Amino acid sequence: MLQQIKGLHHITSMAADAQANNDFFTGALGLRRVKKTVNFDAPDVYHLYYGDEIGTPGSVMTYFPFPHIAAGKPGTGEVGETLFAVPRGSLGFWKERLGKLGVGNITESEVFGEKRLHFAGPDRDAFALVEVDNDHRAGWLKGDIAEAEAIRGFHGASLRLADSGATAELLGFMGYEKVDSKDDWTRFAIGHGNGADVIDIQTLPSANAARQGAGSVHHIAFAVEDRAAQFEVRKALMDTGYQVTPVIDRNYFWAIYFRTPGGVLFEIATNEPGFDADEDTAHLGEALKLPPQYEQHRAQIEQILTPLRD
């Protein structure tokens, strides 16, 4: 069993409109935009990162806003719901806030003894705020949301799978332990994580496969401390039979990717060097930052990208 993985690093999804996406995460949810850059494989598309003050691993939600992308179709083989941690007693505040802002699909539930507020993003993305005790992570407090309610980062995520057996074995190999189950849900948690420690699997053998599009999670990333730890994880995964990409420099972390048995794309990302690698903490997310290979095309890229209103 691997010991290097420390919970989630980030979750990356797709959207249809960059401005609506930016407004939702920085406005409705009160997160900080910590990076404004472009998709490394499609530099005419933004890559937007939202999180806490410095983009701490385990707090960062990222998006590729592809203009005119078709809506995703929920199903198996994907991340179903992204879970954010909030302080105990804050769901009433969030229910009122999101309701006033016209956020859709607001419902309440209790899962594995945790109170949740479910809601939809601009592209019908599935989210939940989960009341969590003793989460000492700091939220982003420069907006209009107080410390008593601010999002602390991820609590975890849920996977929708047709068959959960092989993915459950993979999570066990990655250091997660099964801690609870009820009906078609099974919970896994990592005991030495960064606070974003929970993966829930919902097994739906009769459901149709998902079709990715706007509102779909593209991949889910797990955190390791540095490149040495990442090398150890990559070797262990390959020795187990997984096809893992070479290490890719993403400017703010190094990444490797592999497809899980259930169809979900997993990434292992390093905590180093962080989002202050190319701009100071006070001004994170303000300027358009380009990967070095695209800097010579900055003028053309800036003409294509619609400027974001902060």
Side-chain angles (χ1 to χ4, degrees):
M1 180 168 57
L2 298 172
Q3 299 295 323
Q4 297 89 341
I5 292 171
K6 305 300 181 183
L8 296 183
H9 186 282
H10 65 271
I11 296 175
T12 295
S13 295
M14 295 179 289
D17 183 84
Q19 188 66 58
N21 184 261
N22 181 85
D23 292 349
F24 180 76
F25 284 95
T26 63
L29 297 190
L31 299 179
R32 185 184 194 186
R33 192 179 72 214
V34 295
K35 195 61 60 180
K36 180 170 64 172
T37 183
V38 295
N39 185 321
F40 276 41
D41 301 314
D44 58 338
V45 173
Y46 279 118
H47 193 177
L48 304 176
Y49 293 73
Y50 312 98
D52 64 9
E53 181 177 9
I54 62 172
T56 304
S59 78
V60 181
M61 189 82 204
T62 98
Y63 270 86
F64 301 132
F66 290 96
H68 313 300
I69 188 175
K73 181 180 179 182
T76 58
E78 68 173 355
V79 174
E81 189 172 48
T82 298
L83 313 176
F84 291 103
V86 295
R88 183 168 293 280
S90 66
L91 288 190
F93 163 87
W94 281 105
K95 184 178 181 181
E96 180 179 2
R97 178 184 177 87
L98 297 179
K100 286 182 177 179
L101 293 172
V103 173
N105 296 353
I106 299 174
T107 61
E108 297 179 79
S109 72
E110 187 166 319
V111 182
F112 296 126
E114 298 169 338
K115 292 182 179 180
R116 296 186 180 186
L117 185 71
H118 307 267
F119 59 98
D123 293 287
R124 303 187 65 82
D125 332 39
F127 300 109
L129 300 173
V130 183
E131 289 191 344
V132 178
D133 281 326
N134 301 316
D135 190 331
H136 301 295
R137 295 176 292 173
W140 172 240
L141 302 178
K142 296 294 178 67
D144 62 345
I145 300 176
E147 182 179 2
E149 292 86 28
I151 291 172
R152 288 343 196 211
F154 295 127
H155 183 48
S158 67
L159 311 180
R160 283 193 295 254
L161 305 178
D163 185 331
S164 61
T167 300
E169 290 184 11
L170 170 62
L171 289 173
F173 180 68
M174 292 170 60
Y176 285 78
E177 295 182 2
K178 178 181 174 180
V179 295
D180 206 349
S181 61
K182 184 177 181 181
D183 301 326
D184 54 2
W185 288 92
T186 306
R187 165 157 287 191
F188 297 84
I190 201 160
H192 52 278
N194 56 16
D197 301 335
V198 170
I199 298 292
D200 295 333
I201 294 181
Q202 185 181 23
T203 306
L204 300 169
S206 300
N208 293 325
R211 184 189 66 212
Q212 287 210 329
S216 301
V217 171
H218 184 271
H219 63 267
I220 180 171
F222 297 82
V224 292
E225 190 61 36
D226 52 31
R227 296 189 70 185
Q230 185 184 64
F231 175 83
E232 294 169 353
V233 171
R234 183 174 187 270
K235 184 178 185 304
L237 288 168
M238 293 180 70
D239 289 347
T240 308
Y242 285 95
Q243 295 184 343
V244 186
T245 67
V247 176
I248 302 172
D249 183 357
R250 296 302 194 195
N251 284 14
Y252 314 110
F253 49 87
W254 283 271
I256 57 175
Y257 303 86
F258 65 102
R259 186 72 60 177
T260 66
V264 182
L265 183 61
F266 276 13
E267 174 184 347
I268 309 296
T270 62
N271 291 346
E272 60 177 7
F275 292 100
D276 60 354
D278 59 0
E279 56 187 345
D280 64 79
T281 300
H283 298 286
L284 289 179
E286 295 178 8
L288 176 65
K289 294 298 181 179
L290 297 178
Q293 64 268 33
Y294 295 131
E295 191 60 53
Q296 61 182 322
H297 305 296
R298 173 175 287 274
Q300 180 182 0
I301 290 171
E302 289 182 338
Q303 284 184 341
I304 295 171
L305 295 173
T306 302
L308 290 178
R309 302 184 306 274
D310 293 326

